């Protein structure tokens, strides 16, 4: 800790202690030792003293013991030439400061009964100062700290430069559902009075609690936190360690020091650090950066007023809470399966007709303004019904604990999160996203910007624990969309390649994914290193990370168990799991076969493989290919008939990346069974296809695979592969 801060805090503690001692002596003389003291209508005595020491001060004479403890706690003033570790003595001085201030305030209640509004939630005509909350107010308000309605409080000490700035800071804090506890003065001005000047209503009912005019009333804020831990956290009086830890972990509180920081302020700030409550100051005082007691920094200074709330939230590690998804249509799981068809479509993006890409990526903390949603290019308002637009959505996420490994997990949520908006249909992921916005939704005012709002709100609601801030940029101009597409594709390739080199044999635990059961209630993906999720968005590492983030979530470890059939890839543990998770609809599942017990498909698959019996081979088609295929069905028809969670031998949903994974279709003869795929898909995976071909001893394999430019029917495929000498011609019969 900074020597300057420690010295000032210790000086401040001495001043406040001296004042308490003097007040105690005067009161003893005036009222006698047996005089009752305390904050009105509370069972918690002087709550900080009670919580930390277990002493219930109820008479003047009880104060003596506490003052003696203070005397022991406060270290001698720091001398210039003595190098000491500063943190611990400063914290002790801070604690003693609070004890002393509680004594000062208790005596004040005796001396000046009208100083604070007693038993009132709001200022009355005698006073604007509310003092300590009685137990009725405390129970009503304190429970909100526990049930999540209020994450914590900001203790504002001093005053803003002017009333307008004060009002703005208060509003920002209210928007974060925080309580605002105000005390102290700066240059004759007080924050509470500034709010009143700006016409802002002050009181417990607006969460703007005007505790008192001086710094000493900071104890009412800290005392409140101590009571929360005792009343709702079950922490016994005197169990100081648990009280401090409870508050550090559960009460998101911090001090905003506005104005010149006096010794007394330093003493109070040092006290607050004991509970893990940091101080954020608008003046250039020395900083106390990480870490020790608080979650992150202890004192951060010189923060401009327009950034001070955001900064405080960051320093305290407060999680943004978004109670409701703020969009003009209904929102919830009931709307997830709903389709938007033909004449109902107002705006459509992707689906193979325009470009559409969704990319969730990491940014530095200072690069992200939480909740900022931008649409760059046309939005719903600028286009007529039936329009198609290009679309790129970038969710930029930042967080102290955010890891790049979490990106695909958040990104994969977009699908069901967007789908839950009434009148919006979302299919696919990554660069094969597909969104339809209905006319009904547009009539209610829905725009592309609302998609960003959904992402912001739901990421916070569902994944707030792993990141701090997210902003969303949506582009609809082709050039920009292409630019994002390139960046996103490079990221996808990087993510996919992370499992390269891992084998199914080397791992005894696979992971399930039942994220898509909201659509296809019996569908279960099991993801192994060599079989990525059929949506292409989840590989084994992603599922493992998702499980670590949320052990109760849709990705569960599945112990492989005994290998029943090595060629097909059947394992006892996986079969047992699938049977249970599919509600007995699927008994056995092969990891590497489309002919025997193939894995089911929910409809999200990037590609669908289908048997071409006359060719003795297998074709595959990706979602972006809209034309007829040699099996006699378009992708949409294929998806419609096999997507839904039932096993359909002869058909298999899979990811693009999976095509070149070594176990692909191993049970049916492997990659060399592939006789047809769309040209664009072939080009997309060309390099890896070439490499796998070489490994298999077929160096010109990609060219042996027919595509729509040479074959549209099974007969044409036979002709092509025969001419090329495709290996499947000589392979054992598929059926
Ligand atoms: Fe999970 Fe499979 Fe759905 Fe992908 S397709 S999200 S892996 S259930
Ligand atoms: Zn799915």
């Amino acid at each position: 800790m900074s020597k300057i801060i420690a010295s000032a805090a210790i000086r401040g503690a001495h001043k406040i202690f001296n004042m308490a001692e003097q007040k105690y002596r005067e009161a003893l003389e005036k009222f006698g030792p047996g005089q009752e003291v305390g904050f009105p209508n509370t069972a918690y005595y002087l709550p900080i003293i009670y919580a930390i020491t277990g002493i219930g001060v109820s008479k003047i004479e009880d104060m003596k013991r506490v003052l003696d403890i203070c005397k022991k706690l406060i270290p001698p003033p720091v001398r210039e030439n003595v190098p000491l570790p500063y943190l611990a003595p400063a914290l002790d001085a801070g604690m003693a400061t609070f004890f002393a201030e509680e004594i000062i305030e208790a005596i004040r209640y005796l001396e000046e009964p009208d100083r604070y509004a007693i038993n009132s939630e709001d200022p009355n005509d005698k006073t604007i100062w509310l003092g300590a909350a009685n137990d009725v107010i405390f129970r009503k308000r304190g429970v909100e700290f526990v049930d999540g309605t209020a994450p914590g409080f900001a203790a504002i000490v001093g005053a803003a430069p002017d009333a307008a700035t004060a009002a703005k800071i208060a509003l920002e804090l209210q928007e974060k559902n925080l309580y605002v506890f105000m005390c102290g003065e700066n240059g004759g001005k007080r924050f509470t009075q500034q709010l009143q000047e700006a016409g802002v209503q002050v009181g417990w009912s607006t969460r703007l609690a005007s505790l008192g005019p001086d710094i000493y009333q900071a104890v009412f804020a800290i005392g409140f936190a101590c009571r929360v831990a005792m009343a709702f956290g079950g922490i016994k009086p005197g169990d100081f360690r648990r009280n401090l830890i409870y508050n550090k972990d559960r009460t998101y509180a911090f001090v905003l020091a506005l104005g010149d920081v006096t010794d007394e302020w330093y003493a109070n700030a040092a006290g607050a650090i004991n509970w893990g409550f940091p101080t954020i100051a608008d003046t250039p005082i020395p900083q106390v950066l990480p870490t020790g007691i608080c979650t992150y920094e202890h004192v951060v200074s010189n923060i401009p007023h327009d950034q001070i709330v955001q900064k405080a939230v960051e320093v305290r590690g407060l999680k943004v809470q978004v109670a409701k998804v703020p969009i003009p249509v209904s929102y919830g799981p009931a709307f997830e399966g709903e389709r938007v068809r033909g004449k109902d479509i107002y705006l459509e993006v992707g689906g193979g007709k325009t470009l559409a890409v969704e990319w969730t990526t990491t940014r530095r903390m200072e690069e992200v303004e939480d909740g900022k949603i931008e649409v760059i290019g046309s939005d719903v308002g600028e286009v007529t019904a039936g329009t198609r637009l290009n679309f790129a959505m970038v969710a930029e996420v930042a967080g102290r604990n955010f890891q790049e490994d979490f990106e695909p997990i958040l990104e994969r949520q977009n699908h069901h999160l967007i789908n839950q908006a009434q009148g919006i249909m979302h299919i696919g992921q990554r660069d094969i996203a597909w969104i339809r916005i209905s006319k009904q939704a547009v009539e209610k005012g829905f725009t592309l910007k609302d998609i960003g709002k959904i992402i912001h709100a739901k990421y916070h609601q569902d994944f707030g624990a792993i990141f701090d801030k997210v902003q969303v940029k949506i582009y609809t101009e082709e050039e920009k969309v292409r630019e994002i597409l390139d960046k996103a594709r490079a990221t996808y390739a990087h993510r996919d390649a992370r499992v390269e080199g891992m084998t199914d044999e080397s791992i005894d635990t696979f992971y399930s994914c039942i994220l898509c059961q909201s659509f296809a209630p019996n569908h279960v993906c099991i993801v192994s290193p060599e079989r990525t999720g059929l949506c292409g968005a989840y590989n084994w590492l992603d599922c493992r990370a998702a499980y670590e983030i949320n052990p109760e979530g849709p990705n569960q470890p599945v112990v492989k168990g005994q290998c029943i059939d090595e060629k097909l890839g059947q394992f006892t543990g996986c079969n047992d799991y699938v049977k249970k998770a599919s509600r007995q609809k699927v008994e056995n599942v092969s990891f590497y076969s489309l002919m025997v017990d193939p894995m089911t498909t929910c409809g999200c698959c990037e590609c669908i493989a289908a048997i071409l019996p006359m060719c003795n081979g297998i074709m595959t088609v990706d979602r972006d290919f809209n034309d007829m295929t040699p099996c006699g069905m378009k992708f949409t028809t294929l998806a419609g008939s096999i997507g839904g969670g039932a096993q359909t031998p002869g058909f298999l949903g899979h990811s693009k990346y999976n095509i070149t994974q070594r176990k692909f279709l191993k049970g049916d003869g492997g990659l060399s069974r592939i006789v047809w795929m769309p040209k664009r898909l072939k080009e997309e995976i060309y390099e890896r296809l070439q490499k796998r071909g070489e490994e298999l001893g077929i160096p010109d394999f990609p060219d042996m695979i027919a595509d729509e430019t040479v074959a549209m029917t099974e007969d044409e495929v036979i002709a092509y592969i025969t001419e090329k000498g495709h290996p499947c011609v000589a392979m054992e019969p598929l059926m």
Side-chain angles (χ1 to χ4, degrees), residues 446-489:
F446 193 91
T447 63
L448 288 176
K449 193 166 184 176
D450 291 309
I451 295 181
K453 290 186 191 166
I454 295 173
I455 297 300
H456 171 256
K458 292 303 288 180
Y459 275 19
H460 274 298
Q461 280 181 6
D462 297 353
F463 290 88
I466 58 168
F467 77 97
D468 298 320
K469 302 199 266 187
V470 58
Q471 67 190 11
V472 180
K473 293 179 180 142
I474 292 173
Y475 302 93
T476 56
E477 279 153 7
E478 183 172 346
E479 194 187 339
K480 199 63 202 174
V481 171
R482 285 196 186 279
E483 201 180 294
I484 301 295
L485 197 57
D486 287 345
K487 287 185 190 160
R489 283 194 175 137

Side-chain angles (χ1 to χ4, degrees), residues 375-482:
V375 176
I376 301 124
S378 308
D379 198 337
V380 170
E382 287 96 45
V383 300
T384 53
T387 301
R388 289 197 178 109
L389 285 174
N390 292 302
F391 176 86
M393 178 169 76
V394 190
E396 300 181 327
V397 181
R400 299 214 190 218
N401 300 318
F402 194 70
Q403 299 170 22
E404 201 185 275
D405 288 353
F406 300 158
E407 291 174 1
I409 298 163
L410 289 180
E411 190 182 283
R412 184 64 187 106
Q413 310 299 320
N414 294 2
H415 173 47
H416 76 266
L417 298 182
I418 296 171
N419 241 323
Q420 289 185 44
Q422 185 183 27
I424 318 302
M425 183 181 97
H426 184 287
I427 290 177
Q429 56 283 318
R430 289 191 168 186
D431 55 354
I432 55 166
W434 179 13
I435 305 175
R436 283 177 172 174
I437 300 176
S438 69
K439 287 179 182 158
Q440 293 85 339
V442 171
E443 262 163 38
K444 289 185 184 149
F446 193 91
T447 63
L448 288 176
K449 193 166 184 176
D450 291 309
I451 295 181
K453 290 186 191 166
I454 295 173
I455 297 300
H456 171 256
K458 292 303 288 180
Y459 275 19
H460 274 298
Q461 280 181 6
D462 297 353
F463 290 88
I466 58 168
F467 77 97
D468 298 320
K469 302 199 266 187
V470 58
Q471 67 190 11
V472 180
K473 293 179 180 142
I474 292 173
Y475 302 93
T476 56
E477 279 153 7
E478 183 172 346
E479 194 187 339
K480 199 63 202 174
V481 171
R482 285 196 186 279

Side-chain angles (χ1 to χ4, degrees), residues 288-306:
V288 182
L289 298 178
T291 64
I293 314 295
C294 298
T295 310
Y296 303 114
E297 294 84 0
H298 296 81
V299 178
V300 178
S301 66
N302 211 13
I303 306 297
H305 296 106
D306 59 346

Side-chain angles (χ1 to χ4, degrees), residues 96 204 248 343 426 483 501 611 733:
W204 282 101
K248 173 180 178 250
K343 61 175 186 14
H426 184 287
E483 201 180 294
I611 180 174

Side-chain angles (χ1 to χ4, degrees), residues 339-346 348 386 436-439:
R339 301 273 143 182
V340 177
R341 293 205 171 88
K343 61 175 186 14
D344 289 334
I345 306 171
Y346 191 95
E348 181 168 26
R436 283 177 172 174
I437 300 176
S438 69
K439 287 179 182 158

Side-chain angles (χ1 to χ4, degrees), residues 199-246:
V200 177
Q201 198 189 326
V202 168
W204 282 101
S205 34
T206 51
R207 297 194 176 184
L208 301 170
S210 43
L211 300 183
D214 323 307
I215 182 67
Y216 315 109
Q217 288 93 48
V219 281
F220 297 144
I222 303 295
F224 194 90
C226 288
R227 287 155 80 183
V228 168
M230 289 188 283
F232 303 110
I235 293 168
K236 300 264 170 311
D239 189 350
F240 65 92
R241 238 189 122 249
R242 287 183 58 218
N243 196 302
L244 301 179
I245 290 170
Y246 176 94

Side-chain angles (χ1 to χ4, degrees), residues 563-584:
C563 179
I564 305 169
D565 190 316
E566 199 204 330
K567 192 166 155 234
L568 297 174
Q570 286 213 11
F571 308 92
T572 51
C574 299
N575 281 347
D576 291 348
Y577 182 90
V578 169
K579 189 172 173 188
K580 205 168 71 203
S582 71
R583 301 170 181 88
Q584 278 72 44

Side-chain angles (χ1 to χ4, degrees), residues 412 513-516 523 525 527 533-538 555 602 604:
R412 184 64 187 106
C513 187
I514 54 162
L515 202 60
C516 288
H523 170 70
C525 274
V527 178
L534 52 85
C535 55
Y538 266 19
N555 303 96
C602 49
C604 299

